[in-house]
Amino acid sequence: MVLAAVLAGAVAGCDRVPAGDELAQKARAPQAQSQRATEEARIRDLIDRLSRVEGPEPVVTLLDDTCERRSENLLESRTQVLLTCRMHAIADFGVRGDITSVLPGIRAAGLTRWGPVDGNGQDGPYATGTVRYAMEYHRTCGRYPDGRPMPSPRLAADGLAIDWDRLDLPLVNRIEEPTPCLSPSGGGTYHRCSQVPEGAGKVTEARARYGTVLELTADGLDYFTVKR
């Protein structure tokens, strides 16, 4: 009986869900910090590669790093994820020259494979999300041959997206100022946010200077998790 009670206590201990402060400690532990540094380096490399394309000039970069606790579901298995950490980044650029002279350079930079491709590895015709489609969109002033407006030419793939000002086309688009970093609320598991340079109005200033603003958005996958 005593042995059974000990074993029962051991099993109960294994099933115990970490408290909030324990999860916060795990989010700041060396393993999490190492994976955090790797993910940040990956995202910053993408931003840096875009900045080396001829035309885009860096304006402002915002990086938000958050670890969130998941609600416990007693019906799920012991592999239930209790904590997830991921990063979100926004990098805005002023565009020197016409956007159509910049798009081929973005494709050549190889940040990702933008949109679907055909059997020869080329952008599919009228395949939204590709550089070819974006070039066609601007060449035809955003309209199909029959006059219908074409969908947005925004590039998107693999958690990355690139969008830009289109102020004089059928589907008007204006890049907004990034939401400024907020102070973390009390009791949060982990939150880190940085904006470089700090201050408001950077996108507006860039638009006045360059005429067009381009924005890279990076939504990373979970770089660190804690399971039950």
Side-chain angles (χ1 to χ4, degrees), residues 38 41 47 60 62 70 108 122:
T38 298
I47 296 172
V60 60
L62 185 141
R70 297 288 185 86
Q122 302 298 313

Side-chain angles (χ1 to χ4, degrees), residues 5 12 35 65 80 92 94 103 114-115 142 206-207 213:
Q35 292 175 213
D65 180 12
Q80 176 188 0
D92 291 323
L103 288 168
W114 300 108
R207 184 174 292 113
V213 175

Side-chain angles (χ1 to χ4, degrees), residues 42-62:
R42 183 188 72 84
I43 290 177
R44 291 198 181 279
D45 176 65
L46 292 169
I47 296 172
D48 184 60
R49 285 159 64 184
L50 181 55
S51 71
R52 293 199 296 269
V53 174
E54 185 175 357
E57 297 285 345
V59 173
V60 60
T61 298
L62 185 141

